[in-house]
Amino acid sequence: MNDYYKEYFYEVVNQLSLNEVKILAYLYNKEANSQISAIKTGEISEYLNVSRSTCGRLINKLIIASFIRQVNNSRNYSVYITAFGLACLDIKSDGEMKI
């Protein structure tokens, strides 16, 4: 059964868009890996140069996949990368992210 989970995880990773991977890489590079170091979604929206609503859709998909977690601290919530998100980056970068 373990191979099925692995296969499923790889399938989810392969479905990610370039912008979704960029969000994960941005959080990784900013060391946003806990509630304390979480990054506001407005900052991510500016980095990607997309509207807040587009950024929100991208972030929601990553939250649903458990690649990032949300911290509710105000109107403009923050997010950080999870261990699953780090594993995703490792796969997408062919191990070059040095996680």
Side-chain angles (χ1 to χ4, degrees), residues 29-75:
N29 289 327
K30 292 285 191 173
E31 298 181 6
N33 53 17
S34 71
Q35 290 183 348
I36 296 170
S37 60
I39 304 267
K40 290 191 179 283
T41 57
E43 181 180 331
I44 296 169
S45 178
E46 289 176 20
Y47 166 73
L48 292 176
N49 197 25
V50 297
S51 69
R52 286 182 182 240
S53 62
T54 298
C55 186
R57 283 193 308 272
L58 297 169
I59 286 172
N60 284 336
K61 184 175 174 185
L62 293 171
I63 290 170
I64 290 167
S66 294
F67 293 150
I68 63 176
R69 287 222 174 95
Q70 176 179 338
V71 179
N72 292 324
N73 55 5
S74 67
R75 183 183 70 136

Side-chain angles (χ1 to χ4, degrees), residues 1-98:
M1 191 90 157
N2 197 11
D3 286 337
Y4 293 116
Y5 294 131
K6 188 175 181 179
E7 200 175 308
Y8 176 76
F9 185 77
Y10 276 92
E11 183 62 30
V12 171
V13 168
N14 286 328
Q15 295 291 325
L16 294 180
S17 69
L18 178 60
N19 276 340
E20 290 160 349
V21 175
K22 282 182 179 180
I23 291 171
L24 293 174
Y26 185 74
L27 294 172
Y28 171 77
N29 289 327
K30 292 285 191 173
E31 298 181 6
N33 53 17
S34 71
Q35 290 183 348
I36 296 170
S37 60
I39 304 267
K40 290 191 179 283
T41 57
E43 181 180 331
I44 296 169
S45 178
E46 289 176 20
Y47 166 73
L48 292 176
N49 197 25
V50 297
S51 69
R52 286 182 182 240
S53 62
T54 298
C55 186
R57 283 193 308 272
L58 297 169
I59 286 172
N60 284 336
K61 184 175 174 185
L62 293 171
I63 290 170
I64 290 167
S66 294
F67 293 150
I68 63 176
R69 287 222 174 95
Q70 176 179 338
V71 179
N72 292 324
N73 55 5
S74 67
R75 183 183 70 136
N76 187 13
Y77 62 91
S78 300
V79 293
Y80 63 94
I81 194 165
T82 65
F84 291 122
L86 293 173
C88 173
L89 274 180
D90 189 48
I91 292 167
K92 290 300 261 187
S93 70
D94 293 324
E96 292 182 23
M97 291 297 287
K98 296 185 175 91

